[in-house]
Amino acid sequence: MALALDRIRVGSAPDSWGVWFPDDPQQVPWERFLDEVAEAGYSWIELGPYGYLPTDPARLTDEVTKRNLKVSAGTIFCGLHRGPSEWDSTWEQVSRVAALTQAMNAKHLVVIPSFWRDDKTAEILEPPELSTEQWRNLTTGMERLGREVKDRYGLDIVVHPHADTHIDTEEHVERFLDSTDSDHVNLCLDTGHYAYCGGDSVKLIETYGERIGYLHLKQVDPEILADVVKNEIPFGPAVARGVMCEPPAGVPELGPVLAAAQKLGVDLFAIVEQDMYPCEPDKPLPIAVRTRKFLRSCGA
């Protein structure tokens, strides 16, 4: 019998419907996403790229409420490792997303570091390793972001380790956690991205449990990943090849991850994110239904 995961709140996100951009002809309309995510049995969603879902709080509240949905988080990207000159442009983005997230009664803002390699063209935008000064900019910038987002919007930031960013591998994630204050900054552990970059999600949860503030549930196909690593394929084309796969076909096993998270004894969101950009419009719903059934079999 599966462990009862009564501290885990499962949801999904526009990402699992092939949505990466506020507006793109290859993506499903937002109304269809909301209809289908509810049909698949989820009650929690993330906002996805700002501007994909309606940004007027009253309208968005009406749209999610009539489908019995609730919002768990908003998402922003930032390049705070570049130093104080990045703050104003970062805050301009954060203030829009955080205000909408707050208006939807969500409590989290997922923060993704900027890419060092273009996720479509593979162009190298910056060195993959940060200098000592850039690490200091990154950690102090994230702590400032955490303080100000909490003070102004009442949200907790959770930093998302991500392929082709400077917070990706076990070494980088641990350095980031060891260099930041848990009062201001915690982690959104994305199981797929962490496995993509060679990390062990269960080990991270067991070692840094007090820093795990949020989960993204995702798996990678080991065979496709091996080819991606061997040929240094950037993240976008890797996704197009199907490197992020439907559970339970890939790694890591999600049952042990969820069990480790349950043992932390805190309430956690676990948001399903299967990167599928671009994808056929009829592909996401059946996968979402099967994934929800699988997670129920794990006790979630």
Side-chain angles (χ1 to χ4, degrees):
M1 182 177 175
L3 177 70
L5 303 174
D6 59 353
R7 305 303 294 267
I8 309 295
R9 290 169 287 185
V10 171
S12 193
D15 183 60
S16 293
W17 267 256
V19 175
W20 277 11
F21 303 101
D23 184 39
D24 186 292
Q26 298 187 85
Q27 297 176 172
V28 298
W30 64 266
E31 298 95 335
R32 179 170 178 177
F33 160 68
L34 290 179
D35 288 342
E36 292 189 352
V37 75
E39 183 182 340
Y42 296 99
S43 54
W44 293 94
I45 60 165
E46 289 184 2
L47 293 176
Y50 182 81
Y52 174 64
L53 294 176
T55 56
D56 174 66
R59 184 179 183 201
L60 183 55
T61 298
D62 179 60
E63 295 289 351
V64 298
T65 300
K66 71 186 183 184
R67 296 172 174 88
N68 295 312
L69 296 170
K70 293 170 283 190
V71 175
S72 61
T75 303
I76 65 114
F77 287 81
C78 66
L80 294 174
H81 67 283
R82 300 188 191 109
S85 61
E86 284 287 304
W87 180 261
D88 288 348
S89 61
T90 298
W91 188 255
E92 182 183 7
Q93 176 199 180
V94 167
S95 58
R96 290 195 303 268
V97 178
L100 181 59
T101 304
Q102 178 192 43
M104 300 309 295
N105 296 313
K107 300 299 181 189
H108 295 89
L109 187 67
V110 177
V111 179
I112 301 176
S114 57
F115 285 54
W116 57 260
R117 167 167 69 179
D118 188 282
D119 66 341
K120 284 188 174 180
T121 67
E123 178 191 356
I124 304 298
L125 306 173
E126 298 180 73
E129 292 290 336
L130 296 178
S131 68
T132 300
E133 180 184 8
Q134 287 174 320
W135 267 109
R136 187 164 55 248
N137 289 336
L138 175 64
T139 55
T140 58
M142 287 293 192
E143 286 183 334
R144 180 185 177 188
L145 188 65
R147 286 193 302 271
E148 300 212 13
V149 166
K150 186 71 169 180
D151 288 347
R152 300 193 192 192
Y153 298 101
L155 306 176
D156 293 321
I157 72 165
V158 281
V159 177
H160 181 322
H162 196 292
D164 289 359
T165 76
H166 295 107
I167 307 177
D168 50 0
T169 62
E170 179 180 307
E171 178 188 1
H172 288 164
V173 170
E174 291 187 353
R175 180 173 180 176
F176 179 76
L177 291 174
D178 291 342
S179 305
T180 50
D181 187 336
S182 61
D183 286 345
H184 307 302
V185 180
N186 286 301
L187 209 66
C188 168
L189 170 57
D190 184 302
T191 61
H193 279 278
Y194 202 50
Y196 186 106
C197 299
D200 181 331
S201 288
V202 171
K203 177 186 173 187
L204 187 68
I205 293 168
E206 291 177 347
T207 308
Y208 287 90
E210 75 283 357
R211 303 300 299 276
I212 307 299
Y214 199 92
L215 295 172
H216 279 171
L217 301 181
K218 189 179 296 180
Q219 286 191 323
V220 294
D221 181 312
E223 291 186 11
I224 297 176
L225 179 62
D227 185 62
V228 163
V229 172
K230 178 182 176 182
N231 294 295
E232 298 183 356
I233 297 167
F235 182 65
V239 167
R241 290 184 179 208
V243 71
M244 299 300 183
C245 62
E246 178 182 343
V251 296
E253 285 187 67
L254 294 180
V257 171
L258 291 166
Q262 170 71 19
K263 289 175 186 173
L264 296 176
V266 297
D267 292 331
L268 284 172
F269 283 106
I271 304 300
V272 176
E273 272 204 338
Q274 184 184 343
D275 292 302
M276 293 197 293
Y277 179 87
C279 72
E280 294 298 320
D282 292 336
K283 185 178 179 183
L285 178 58
I287 291 176
V289 171
R290 292 191 297 266
T291 300
R292 186 71 193 95
K293 183 178 179 181
F294 166 70
L295 292 172
R296 285 197 180 99
S297 77
C298 296

